[in-house]
Amino acid sequence: MNNFDILSKLQKRKIDLSDIEWPRFDLSKIQWSRMPKLRIGDSVAKLPIVQGGMGVGISLSGLASAVANEGGIGVIAANSIGMLDPDYYASHKDANAIALRKEIRKAKEMSSGIIGVNIMVAVQDFSALLMVAIEEKVDMVFLGAGLPLKGIPVGALRAAGVKVVPIVSSARAAGLIFRSWLKKYEDVPDAVVVEGPKAGGHLGFKVDQIDDPDFALECILPDVVTVVKDYEDKFRRNIPVIAAGGVFTGTDIYNLFKLGASGVQMGTKFVATHECDANIRFKESYLACSEDDLEIIKSPVGMPGRAIKGRFLKDISAGKKMRIKCAWKCLKSCDIKTARYCISLALDNARKGILENGFVFAGTNAFRIKNIISVKELLEELQKQYLCAREKGAGSLRSEYERALGKLRSLKEEYLTALKNGVNSLKDNYERDIEKGVIPFREEYLAVLDKINSLMSEYLKAVNNANSLKDELTKLIEQYSLFNRLHNETI
Ligand SMILES: Cc1cc2nc3c(=O)[nH]c(=O)nc-3n(C[C@H](O)[C@H](O)[C@H](O)COP(=O)(O)O)c2cc1C
């Protein structure tokens, strides 16, 4: 290569640094006044908080309507709800449909907010309960404890305006449901709850996965978000992912939102409210329990569950078999011959406060609950904590961005100086060498080129980093429609 070519090539490598604009963000003008809303289909909840369905009879019209009245999504648990009827053993499974209808109507009388129904796929009368939810036109159904793949009356659900939200514990399960729905129904669910292993009640994990960090909610949530994103693009529809299991404070909510969640589902905290439909003894067992009192049990549903230790569970694990009066085979997986107890009856006894003959489901955080408060107080506390965490998060994001801009500025100077010095000294050397009649300054040229190249790639990396911080801040500020006002000062 001709030495003149080498010089001109080196100068052409110079990248244009002048036309990048870096906005300055003034966060002090922002009013961090509220949490983002949660939109599921055409239902828009003022608060992105779903009260998880809790059976048997823990979340009925009382709790669900209280949550809906405060702007969250209130959910009635349908499984074995017929046990509210003293004649349950005479009327069998019809009692569930009758009681569910009654509770939905009651909840709707008490609230004009968003009311959902939680139905376990594992129950024998799944389709009948789903039909009641459709006939009563609830806002949405949450389908857990099994995958809602077959026999879903999608046409009837759509006609009644009932949104469908499956509950999953992995991206694989979410993918399976969405693929199967697309194939069978040419449609997809409206949102997804991803429930991690810290939840109360039945868990969609093998026992050895429960404490494995690879299965933690923070690990599985982003994967579910990725799976759902493909379908959002395909159907041009917003499909929110709702995170559940171990959500305790507004800071937890903020952190889960950063991982891609658009809402949270909470159970344990709602148990310790005045409006929760369980007997006071059930709630007080949360206040009394310690961390060591929480254990994983094997349930006749065929899944592990998290519950508070007690006499009943101790007897069961010691091998005792309770007398079972089976009204009808309510659970697909339950075998009356081998089951040691009737889980519906045990849970119903606990609901009524007869803890000696039953047990209490609870999440890992139950021991952190110190008092019983109202739903309104709980939701206000969560909002306050969330807003505080978001303000702090935005502040540290802004400092990180400012630091990135500082680095960018010094790298830019270093790069331009290296380029100028490199070219000038090469030019001097070249002219000196020509005078001396020697040509070989190629080695030196290559060393300079290397330095410039590495500075350039470091600079480009810093540009990318600053860009992504800028995007994050911009997104945050766009939520408040203040973007234009704050976007006018550039460096
Ligand atoms: C007492 C209790 C009963 C529950 N019953 C059900 C149920 O019937 N169906 C269901 O899908 N989830 C059930 N869950 C799970 C909750 O809906 C919710 O997803 C879970 O509690 C979230 O975790 P957290 O308790 O750590 O907030 C239950 C949880 C508790 C604590």
Side-chain angles (χ1 to χ4, degrees):
M1 190 188 291
N2 175 309
N3 291 317
F4 285 113
D5 291 346
I6 294 174
L7 271 182
S8 67
K9 206 168 163 226
L10 192 53
Q11 272 168 316
K12 267 190 216 143
R13 291 192 65 85
K14 185 173 163 181
I15 50 169
D16 188 4
L17 305 169
S18 59
D19 56 355
I20 305 175
E21 285 204 348
W22 299 96
R24 304 299 290 264
F25 297 96
D26 183 359
L27 302 175
S28 65
K29 291 178 196 159
I30 295 182
Q31 300 272 308
W32 304 97
S33 58
R34 57 175 180 79
M35 287 175 124
K37 293 178 180 168
L38 172 60
R39 175 184 290 275
I40 300 179
D42 58 2
S43 294
V44 183
K46 210 173 86 197
L47 295 177
I49 298 173
V50 179
Q51 160 255 306
M54 293 180 282
V56 170
I58 310 299
S59 68
L60 299 169
S61 54
L63 180 57
S65 63
V67 175
N69 278 334
E70 295 303 325
I73 298 180
V75 182
I76 297 168
N79 54 304
S80 295
I81 193 170
M83 291 187 121
L84 294 176
D85 177 356
D87 286 336
Y88 178 73
Y89 284 91
S91 49
H92 302 168
K93 72 174 171 180
D94 290 345
N96 286 338
I98 293 165
L100 178 59
R101 200 180 299 278
K102 235 197 232 165
E103 284 301 312
I104 295 171
R105 290 186 181 176
K106 247 163 98 180
K108 283 191 167 184
E109 261 167 41
M110 290 192 276
S111 173
S112 55
I114 303 175
I115 300 287
V117 169
N118 174 296
I119 308 173
M120 284 169 61
V121 180
V123 296
Q124 204 70 258
D125 54 350
F126 169 75
S127 297
L129 295 173
L130 192 53
M131 206 38 79
V132 172
I134 293 171
E135 284 163 7
E136 294 301 316
K137 291 188 166 45
V138 294
D139 293 294
M140 56 196 73
V141 285
F142 293 84
L143 309 178
L147 304 185
L149 300 173
K150 287 183 284 182
I152 310 294
V154 175
L157 285 158
R158 292 287 173 232
V162 179
K163 275 74 67 183
V164 183
V165 189
I167 303 171
V168 301
S169 298
S170 67
R172 204 180 73 84
L176 204 63
I177 295 170
F178 276 73
R179 269 197 310 281
S180 140
W181 269 56
L182 185 59
K183 201 162 149 210
K184 282 199 192 104
Y185 312 121
E186 290 175 6
D187 201 341
V188 286
D190 301 279
V192 178
V193 171
V194 49
E195 193 186 69
K198 288 186 172 176
H202 289 112
L203 304 172
F205 298 89
K206 294 193 184 116
V207 173
D208 59 347
Q209 294 171 338
I210 290 173
D211 293 320
D212 183 337
D214 287 347
F215 294 89
L217 177 61
E218 293 73 14
C219 254
I220 56 177
L221 166 65
D223 293 344
V224 174
V225 173
T226 306
V227 166
V228 169
K229 178 88 183 56
D230 281 351
Y231 293 90
E232 278 192 317
D233 295 344
K234 201 177 176 107
F235 280 78
R236 295 217 182 110
R237 222 200 254 175
N238 183 35
I239 307 173
V241 175
I242 297 158
V247 184
F248 198 74
T249 64
T251 310
D252 296 339
I253 301 177
Y254 171 75
N255 290 333
L256 290 164
F257 274 35
K258 279 180 64 178
L259 295 175
S262 302
V264 292
Q265 173 168 294
M266 300 172 67
T268 296
K269 271 220 140 167
F270 282 108
V271 169
T273 60
H274 301 304
E275 294 90 338
C276 168
D277 295 280
N279 180 276
I280 186 71
R281 289 190 70 203
F282 188 103
K283 301 177 195 181
E284 281 170 353
S285 68
Y286 273 44
L287 307 189
C289 79
S290 70
E291 193 168 7
D292 290 341
D293 289 332
L294 295 157
E295 67 169 334
I296 298 297
I297 62 157
K298 201 168 158 259
S299 142
V301 171
M303 301 164 89
R306 182 172 283 106
I308 300 177
K309 286 177 188 168
R311 174 96 236 152
F312 181 87
L313 288 175
K314 202 167 169 198
D315 287 348
I316 295 295
S317 61
K320 192 168 171 184
K321 187 166 161 48
M322 304 296 173
R323 241 170 20 118
I324 300 179
K325 184 178 169 201
C326 182
W328 64 294
K329 190 177 150 53
C330 66
L331 279 171
K332 291 175 192 164
S333 57
C334 185
D335 179 358
I336 178 105
K337 283 189 231 103
T338 54
R340 298 229 188 98
Y341 64 98
C342 166
I343 186 160
S344 294
L345 181 61
L347 292 176
D348 190 52
N349 279 333
R351 167 187 76 83
K352 293 192 278 199
I354 311 167
L355 303 183
E356 309 69 42
N357 295 331
F359 65 90
V360 169
F361 270 143
T364 46
N365 285 319
F367 76 97
R368 292 168 68 188
I369 291 179
K370 301 289 172 242
N371 46 16
I372 297 170
I373 56 178
S374 69
V375 164
K376 189 179 171 61
E377 283 170 308
L378 169 57
L379 292 175
E380 276 173 2
E381 177 185 276
L382 290 172
Q383 283 182 81
K384 239 187 260 163
Q385 293 163 337
Y386 173 89
L387 296 175
C388 185
R390 187 169 61 180
E391 199 166 341
K392 264 198 219 145
S396 69
L397 196 61
R398 184 192 159 175
S399 329
E400 212 184 317
Y401 178 65
E402 294 291 342
R403 274 199 303 277
L405 287 190
K407 172 141 197 230
L408 212 57
R409 252 182 255 123
S410 71
L411 269 173
K412 179 173 159 180
E413 268 156 37
E414 211 184 322
Y415 170 70
L416 290 175
T417 315
L419 197 63
K420 196 167 136 224
N421 291 349
V423 172
N424 286 344
S425 81
L426 276 182
K427 204 168 160 207
D428 292 348
N429 287 353
Y430 174 71
E431 274 158 12
R432 197 187 58 223
D433 286 353
I434 290 282
E435 259 173 38
K436 282 192 203 155
V438 285
I439 315 287
F441 75 118
R442 191 174 178 77
E443 289 302 310
E444 208 179 328
Y445 160 75
L446 289 175
V448 171
L449 199 62
D450 257 5
K451 172 151 190 176
I452 290 171
N453 271 339
S454 80
L455 271 171
M456 190 165 75
S457 69
E458 205 184 329
Y459 178 78
L460 290 175
K461 241 187 262 161
V463 170
N464 279 342
N465 178 32
N467 252 332
S468 68
L469 289 167
K470 184 182 73 175
D471 289 349
E472 231 177 297
L473 272 165
T474 307
K475 228 190 294 163
L476 207 66
I477 288 165
E478 269 172 351
Q479 281 176 4
Y480 295 88
S481 322
L482 280 165
F483 184 68
N484 289 337
R485 208 150 32 102
L486 299 163
H487 193 258
N488 45 20
E489 197 195 330
T490 55
I491 61 165

